[in-house]
Amino acid sequence: MVATGVAQRPRRLSTWLAVLLVVATGVNIRAVFGVTPPLVPVISADLGLTGTTASLLTAVPILAMAVCAPLGHVLSTRLGVDGAMVSLLVVLSAAELSRAWMDSAPPLVLSAGVIGGALGALSTLTPALIAHHLPRMRGLATGIYATAMALGVGLAAGTAQPLADGLGGWRSALAVWGLLGLLLAAALLVARRLGAGMPEQPGPRRRVPLPLREARAWVVSATYAVPMFLGFGVIAWLPSLFVAEGIDPSTAALYLVWFQAVQLVSILSLTALTDRFPGRRAVFATAMLTTTLGLALLTADPRGWAVPGLLLAGFGIGGGSALALVRVQDEARSLEDATRLSAMAMLFSFTAGAAGPFLVGVLLDHTGSLRPGFGLCLVVSVLSLLLLVRMRPATGSWDSGAAPARTPSIHVDE
């Protein structure tokens, strides 16, 4: 018997089940950015979309992610983290499934906004999911999560046209991802019923505001905003930069694949190091310096230094974005604090991600060259090195109502 007033230790999923849950979450959170671009030509031809309207199918979800990022924290204070994730996954799935019946541009763009909003809110809850179920391997688990997001983009992009051909058109290819979202929601509910859900805060629920007055929150937000700004800015214009410098389009497209592929290497290797070494400056400096050097090469001579430039920039940007998620968990003091820190970081980082491609495009219009835009990215990367001054070692596990740090988390606690 458990004494009255003494809460039982919350159970955790086995390591492998928890990792599968993290992977499934990552794939779902980024799939929309992979499935839509390959289908834009056929969607545009079918619905008569202009180039501007077609661009909204990608731009609107990014902006919605920024605006709705704090929603994840708000819902978690009312429903608990599990309840918030399930609710958001249902909304996400409903929006994706609704695309099977759309025959005009306005509802399609509206669904893109709803999908982006649900994804932004979900993104703020994942650090708490990782920290609760995988407290001894936060760094590696975060790297796996970031890798799953990248793979989600690739998987969705690679299967978009085959699904459209096999299921009868682009509508079904877009909608099918809603089924996977429902499966993930069901998995979370099953875990909850088995007693392995995330702990809820005791007492009456209350809404805790974003930590806008806390210096640590601004440092975390800046740490995440920089790789988002650089990542979206570079990926949007990198092929165009190479083509403008005389590289043939097919080679430029291959270079973009290399830029994405090298990110997987840094995501897994740099985040795994954080589990072994609590100090953070060296691993963050590695990501920041390689990003800066790569952007310097691409700005100075995009044709002559194309391969080393894109590989260094990709390695640093990919590693930096994943390390920023680790930093959220480093600074968090509780499960509730993790969601509010993450919400603030996502709010500003997704806004920065939308601003990156836009500002590079503005500079292109004013100068007639992409080099000034990449020069702006280089300046941002150089300034980000100042963040190393505020980089502190990890303080260890925080109290989420879970067992002490010494308790193994490999199997569900009995």
Side-chain angles (χ1 to χ4, degrees):
M1 296 292 291
V2 178
T4 304
V6 179
Q8 291 180 304
R9 283 191 297 132
R11 298 174 180 178
R12 298 190 181 105
L13 292 171
S14 70
T15 297
W16 287 111
L17 287 177
V19 168
L20 286 175
L21 190 63
V22 167
V23 169
T25 303
V27 169
N28 273 275
I29 280 178
R30 285 294 185 271
V32 67
F33 295 107
V35 69
T36 304
L39 298 175
V40 164
V42 67
I43 295 173
S44 298
D46 189 14
L47 301 182
L49 304 184
T50 64
T52 299
T53 303
S55 70
L56 294 178
L57 297 179
T58 300
V60 166
I62 297 175
L63 292 175
M65 289 177 79
V67 173
C68 295
L71 180 61
H73 169 61
V74 172
L75 289 176
S76 70
T77 62
R78 296 177 178 272
L79 306 175
V81 177
D82 284 327
M85 291 192 71
V86 170
S87 300
L88 289 167
L89 283 167
V90 170
V91 171
L92 170 66
S93 299
E96 291 175 330
L97 289 170
S98 71
R99 294 178 148 192
W101 297 278
M102 291 183 178
D103 57 3
S104 63
L108 192 61
V109 174
L110 177 61
S111 70
V114 174
I115 290 170
L119 294 178
L122 276 168
S123 297
T124 68
L125 303 176
T126 309
L129 177 76
I130 292 172
H132 171 65
H133 286 298
L134 299 164
R136 288 182 176 271
M137 48 182 289
R138 290 183 191 177
L140 178 58
T142 300
I144 292 172
Y145 167 66
T147 302
M149 288 194 290
L151 291 176
V153 175
L155 178 63
T159 59
Q161 194 58 55
L163 284 174
D165 294 338
L167 297 178
W170 61 265
R171 293 173 179 84
S172 298
L174 293 178
V176 72
W177 287 94
L179 298 176
L180 296 182
L182 290 177
L183 288 175
L184 178 57
L188 287 169
L189 288 174
V190 170
R192 189 75 184 174
R193 285 190 63 86
L194 293 175
M198 282 177 278
E200 297 184 8
Q201 296 295 326
R205 299 191 185 280
R206 60 190 180 90
R207 180 178 176 180
V208 182
L210 297 182
L212 295 172
R213 297 184 179 181
E214 299 181 31
R216 68 186 179 110
W218 285 105
V219 173
V220 169
S221 297
T223 302
Y224 200 14
V226 169
M228 291 289 280
F229 178 92
L230 300 178
F232 280 109
V234 171
I235 197 173
W237 292 105
L238 190 62
S240 299
L241 174 70
F242 291 146
V243 170
E245 295 293 327
I247 297 175
D248 67 273
S250 60
T251 302
L254 177 61
Y255 284 171
L256 181 61
V257 173
W258 292 2
F259 175 80
Q260 288 289 96
V262 74
Q263 293 187 37
L264 302 182
V265 177
S266 62
I267 285 170
L268 287 174
S269 61
L270 295 183
T271 53
L273 288 175
T274 64
D275 290 324
R276 298 180 61 86
F277 306 102
R280 294 296 187 247
R281 280 200 181 99
V283 68
F284 268 93
T286 300
M288 292 175 175
L289 289 172
T290 52
T291 299
T292 302
L293 180 56
L295 290 173
L297 295 178
L298 291 174
T299 303
D301 187 358
R303 182 181 179 88
W305 294 102
V307 173
L310 71 89
L311 291 178
L312 287 168
F315 184 91
I317 291 171
S321 61
L323 289 171
L325 293 172
V326 177
R327 197 70 207 155
V328 170
Q329 298 169 60
D330 284 347
E331 292 290 342
R333 299 161 183 164
S334 65
L335 184 146
E336 181 182 63
D337 192 41
T339 62
R340 61 198 287 265
L341 267 178
S342 183
M344 179 172 165
M346 300 293 177
L347 170 63
F348 290 104
S349 64
F350 287 136
T351 302
F358 175 75
L359 292 177
V360 175
V362 169
L363 288 172
L364 171 62
D365 289 339
H366 281 78
T367 66
S369 171
L370 281 167
R371 289 202 191 188
F374 276 73
L376 172 63
C377 291
L378 174 60
V379 170
V380 171
S381 186
V382 170
L383 292 176
S384 73
L385 294 171
L386 296 174
L387 293 170
L388 294 173
V389 177
R390 294 296 302 270
M391 201 66 62
R392 300 182 301 180
T395 56
S397 298
W398 38 262
D399 180 17
S400 65
R406 65 178 180 274
T407 302
S409 59
I410 295 178
H411 299 289
V412 173
D413 297 324
E414 298 296 339

